mmCIF file of all heavy atoms in Angstrom:
data_model
loop_
_atom_site.group_PDB
_atom_site.id
_atom_site.type_symbol
_atom_site.label_atom_id
_atom_site.label_comp_id
_atom_site.label_asym_id
_atom_site.label_seq_id
_atom_site.Cartn_x
_atom_site.Cartn_y
_atom_site.Cartn_z
ATOM 1 N N ASN A 51 127.389 104.270 81.729
ATOM 2 C CA ASN A 51 127.530 105.677 81.350
ATOM 3 C C ASN A 51 128.837 106.288 81.842
ATOM 4 O O ASN A 51 129.282 107.307 81.306
ATOM 5 C CB ASN A 51 126.359 106.520 81.870
ATOM 6 C CG ASN A 51 125.014 106.129 81.280
ATOM 7 O OD1 ASN A 51 123.976 106.408 81.865
ATOM 8 N ND2 ASN A 51 124.991 105.479 80.134
ATOM 9 N N ASN A 52 129.455 105.694 82.860
ATOM 10 C CA ASN A 52 130.730 106.189 83.388
ATOM 11 C C ASN A 52 131.936 105.451 82.815
ATOM 12 O O ASN A 52 133.048 105.607 83.310
ATOM 13 C CB ASN A 52 130.738 106.109 84.916
ATOM 14 C CG ASN A 52 129.848 107.166 85.529
ATOM 15 O OD1 ASN A 52 129.876 108.321 85.118
ATOM 16 N ND2 ASN A 52 129.034 106.778 86.489
ATOM 17 N N THR A 53 131.708 104.644 81.791
ATOM 18 C CA THR A 53 132.778 103.898 81.140
ATOM 19 C C THR A 53 133.038 104.501 79.764
ATOM 20 O O THR A 53 132.100 104.772 79.027
ATOM 21 C CB THR A 53 132.374 102.409 80.978
ATOM 22 O OG1 THR A 53 132.105 101.859 82.274
ATOM 23 C CG2 THR A 53 133.466 101.604 80.302
ATOM 24 N N ASN A 54 134.309 104.727 79.452
ATOM 25 C CA ASN A 54 134.664 105.242 78.123
ATOM 26 C C ASN A 54 134.423 104.175 77.068
ATOM 27 O O ASN A 54 134.481 102.971 77.355
ATOM 28 C CB ASN A 54 136.136 105.656 78.081
ATOM 29 C CG ASN A 54 136.403 106.884 78.927
ATOM 30 O OD1 ASN A 54 135.591 107.791 79.011
ATOM 31 N ND2 ASN A 54 137.552 106.903 79.583
ATOM 32 N N LYS A 55 134.176 104.630 75.843
ATOM 33 C CA LYS A 55 134.045 103.698 74.719
ATOM 34 C C LYS A 55 135.269 102.783 74.690
ATOM 35 O O LYS A 55 136.374 103.202 75.030
ATOM 36 C CB LYS A 55 133.904 104.466 73.410
ATOM 37 C CG LYS A 55 132.599 105.224 73.335
ATOM 38 C CD LYS A 55 132.468 106.003 72.042
ATOM 39 C CE LYS A 55 131.102 106.635 71.974
ATOM 40 N NZ LYS A 55 131.108 108.070 72.065
ATOM 41 N N ILE A 56 135.043 101.543 74.281
ATOM 42 C CA ILE A 56 136.103 100.526 74.308
ATOM 43 C C ILE A 56 136.343 100.011 72.898
ATOM 44 O O ILE A 56 135.398 99.603 72.218
ATOM 45 C CB ILE A 56 135.699 99.345 75.229
ATOM 46 C CG1 ILE A 56 135.360 99.845 76.640
ATOM 47 C CG2 ILE A 56 136.802 98.295 75.268
ATOM 48 C CD1 ILE A 56 134.735 98.788 77.540
ATOM 49 N N THR A 57 137.606 100.004 72.485
ATOM 50 C CA THR A 57 137.961 99.440 71.184
ATOM 51 C C THR A 57 138.300 97.967 71.370
ATOM 52 O O THR A 57 139.176 97.613 72.163
ATOM 53 C CB THR A 57 139.162 100.185 70.562
ATOM 54 O OG1 THR A 57 138.805 101.562 70.400
ATOM 55 C CG2 THR A 57 139.531 99.585 69.211
ATOM 56 N N LEU A 58 137.563 97.121 70.647
ATOM 57 C CA LEU A 58 137.770 95.679 70.703
ATOM 58 C C LEU A 58 138.369 95.217 69.381
ATOM 59 O O LEU A 58 138.019 95.735 68.321
ATOM 60 C CB LEU A 58 136.446 94.963 70.941
ATOM 61 C CG LEU A 58 135.657 95.392 72.173
ATOM 62 C CD1 LEU A 58 134.341 94.632 72.244
ATOM 63 C CD2 LEU A 58 136.473 95.188 73.429
ATOM 64 N N THR A 59 139.250 94.229 69.450
ATOM 65 C CA THR A 59 139.886 93.692 68.254
ATOM 66 C C THR A 59 139.686 92.185 68.211
ATOM 67 O O THR A 59 139.918 91.493 69.204
ATOM 68 C CB THR A 59 141.403 94.010 68.247
ATOM 69 O OG1 THR A 59 141.577 95.417 68.394
ATOM 70 C CG2 THR A 59 142.055 93.547 66.962
ATOM 71 N N ALA A 60 139.262 91.695 67.048
ATOM 72 C CA ALA A 60 139.102 90.253 66.860
ATOM 73 C C ALA A 60 140.475 89.609 66.787
ATOM 74 O O ALA A 60 141.372 90.097 66.106
ATOM 75 C CB ALA A 60 138.314 89.981 65.581
ATOM 76 N N GLU A 61 140.630 88.505 67.504
ATOM 77 C CA GLU A 61 141.932 87.843 67.590
ATOM 78 C C GLU A 61 142.005 86.606 66.701
ATOM 79 O O GLU A 61 143.039 86.326 66.116
ATOM 80 C CB GLU A 61 142.183 87.466 69.048
ATOM 81 C CG GLU A 61 143.552 86.920 69.329
ATOM 82 C CD GLU A 61 143.784 86.780 70.812
ATOM 83 O OE1 GLU A 61 143.199 85.873 71.430
ATOM 84 O OE2 GLU A 61 144.554 87.591 71.347
ATOM 85 N N GLY A 62 140.952 85.858 66.629
ATOM 86 C CA GLY A 62 140.949 84.619 65.859
ATOM 87 C C GLY A 62 139.763 83.772 66.257
ATOM 88 O O GLY A 62 138.980 84.157 67.121
ATOM 89 N N ASP A 63 139.622 82.626 65.633
ATOM 90 C CA ASP A 63 138.468 81.768 65.879
ATOM 91 C C ASP A 63 138.785 80.657 66.869
ATOM 92 O O ASP A 63 139.942 80.262 67.043
ATOM 93 C CB ASP A 63 137.992 81.142 64.564
ATOM 94 C CG ASP A 63 137.443 82.186 63.596
ATOM 95 O OD1 ASP A 63 136.916 83.208 64.071
ATOM 96 O OD2 ASP A 63 137.544 81.980 62.384
ATOM 97 N N ASP A 64 137.729 80.163 67.497
ATOM 98 C CA ASP A 64 137.825 79.045 68.420
ATOM 99 C C ASP A 64 136.458 78.372 68.425
ATOM 100 O O ASP A 64 135.529 78.829 67.747
ATOM 101 C CB ASP A 64 138.194 79.542 69.819
ATOM 102 C CG ASP A 64 138.767 78.445 70.717
ATOM 103 O OD1 ASP A 64 138.765 77.255 70.308
ATOM 104 O OD2 ASP A 64 139.206 78.770 71.832
ATOM 105 N N TYR A 65 136.335 77.300 69.191
ATOM 106 C CA TYR A 65 135.063 76.592 69.329
ATOM 107 C C TYR A 65 134.744 76.452 70.810
ATOM 108 O O TYR A 65 135.583 76.022 71.587
ATOM 109 C CB TYR A 65 135.127 75.219 68.657
ATOM 110 C CG TYR A 65 135.153 75.337 67.149
ATOM 111 C CD1 TYR A 65 136.359 75.493 66.468
ATOM 112 C CD2 TYR A 65 133.977 75.327 66.412
ATOM 113 C CE1 TYR A 65 136.386 75.635 65.085
ATOM 114 C CE2 TYR A 65 133.995 75.465 65.026
ATOM 115 C CZ TYR A 65 135.197 75.622 64.379
ATOM 116 O OH TYR A 65 135.220 75.776 63.014
ATOM 117 N N PHE A 66 133.516 76.833 71.183
ATOM 118 C CA PHE A 66 133.044 76.756 72.554
ATOM 119 C C PHE A 66 131.951 75.698 72.632
ATOM 120 O O PHE A 66 131.535 75.124 71.634
ATOM 121 C CB PHE A 66 132.459 78.094 72.998
ATOM 122 C CG PHE A 66 133.478 79.149 73.365
ATOM 123 C CD1 PHE A 66 134.828 79.011 73.113
ATOM 124 C CD2 PHE A 66 133.051 80.320 73.974
ATOM 125 C CE1 PHE A 66 135.738 80.002 73.452
ATOM 126 C CE2 PHE A 66 133.953 81.315 74.321
ATOM 127 C CZ PHE A 66 135.286 81.154 74.064
ATOM 128 N N GLY A 67 131.464 75.507 73.847
ATOM 129 C CA GLY A 67 130.369 74.575 74.082
ATOM 130 C C GLY A 67 130.891 73.238 74.550
ATOM 131 O O GLY A 67 132.074 72.919 74.395
ATOM 132 N N PRO A 68 130.007 72.433 75.130
ATOM 133 C CA PRO A 68 130.421 71.136 75.681
ATOM 134 C C PRO A 68 130.991 70.198 74.624
ATOM 135 O O PRO A 68 131.820 69.342 74.921
ATOM 136 C CB PRO A 68 129.147 70.569 76.307
ATOM 137 C CG PRO A 68 128.025 71.389 75.785
ATOM 138 C CD PRO A 68 128.584 72.697 75.325
#
Side-chain angles (χ1 to χ4, degrees):
N51 297 158
N52 287 315
T53 301
N54 291 324
K55 293 179 175 112
I56 304 170
T57 300
L58 304 178
T59 305
E61 187 171 73
D63 294 330
D64 199 353
Y65 289 87
F66 282 10

